[in-house]
Amino acid sequence: MHKPSFPVAPGETACISLEGPVGPLEVLVDLPKADVPVQPIVAVICHPLSTEGGTLHNKVVTMTATTLRELGIATVRFNFRSVGGSAGEFDHGVGEQEDLKAVTAWVRQQRPDDRLWLAGFSFGAFVSLKAAAELQPEALISIAPPAGRWDFGGITPPARWLVIQGEQDEIVDPQAVYQWLDTLDAAHELVRMPDTSHFFHRKLIDLRGALTHGVKHWLGTAA
């Protein structure tokens, strides 16, 4: 039987502090509820732009975590450096990749037999994509990846890659995302959400459905 080693009981949230590259990192750990069949998967979720109010409590990040936990996946959210209880200064995605690497190293230490998934929203999608080549997650979820706003050169997504993009995104140009994806050799599943803004106002339930439909066929089988 799969036995979690995270410092949290099923259905509860643990707020912990991990030692990061430049000081403490604020981390939230959530296990699925006790009545949900547990998957041997941990998803680390990255939040949107720190300088624009992005935190681990962002509603898109929170909905992503909730949806994955309903599928039996443990989730780990954290604040990048300079946000909330995390030390340091904003580092334009470079240091933030190091923060993500520190969190995933802890996850792998705690749950060495589990498969690693990464997820990110907006700036968090950029950070997780840039770090994916080194971290080698089994699967990656990119919500509103800010193509055209950040340098996406040199990314190596895993074979299982879900991209969700709102068609009325006022911050990330949807056409820039679609054109960027067309330039890549990497396989991906793209979900275009009509009448959906960057922060998924009044569309969070639709996001939940897109996430569930997009990843449920990955459950139970390793890549």
Side-chain angles (χ1 to χ4, degrees), residues 24-47:
L25 289 171
E26 183 179 9
V27 178
L28 287 185
V29 180
D30 290 284
L31 297 184
K33 294 181 180 179
D35 59 351
V36 177
V38 175
Q39 297 286 334
I41 300 168
V42 180
V44 180
I45 307 169
C46 300
H47 68 69

Side-chain angles (χ1 to χ4, degrees), residues 45-49 55 58-61 64 80 119-128 141-146 164 169 171-172 197-200 207:
I45 307 169
C46 300
H47 68 69
L49 192 58
T55 78
N58 170 270
K59 64 183 182 180
V60 174
V61 170
T64 301
F80 288 127
F121 168 46
S122 197
F123 175 72
F126 164 70
V127 172
S128 53
I141 301 167
S142 301
I143 303 171
I164 299 176
D169 194 322
I171 294 176
V172 173
S197 67
H198 186 67
F199 291 103
F200 293 81
L207 173 63

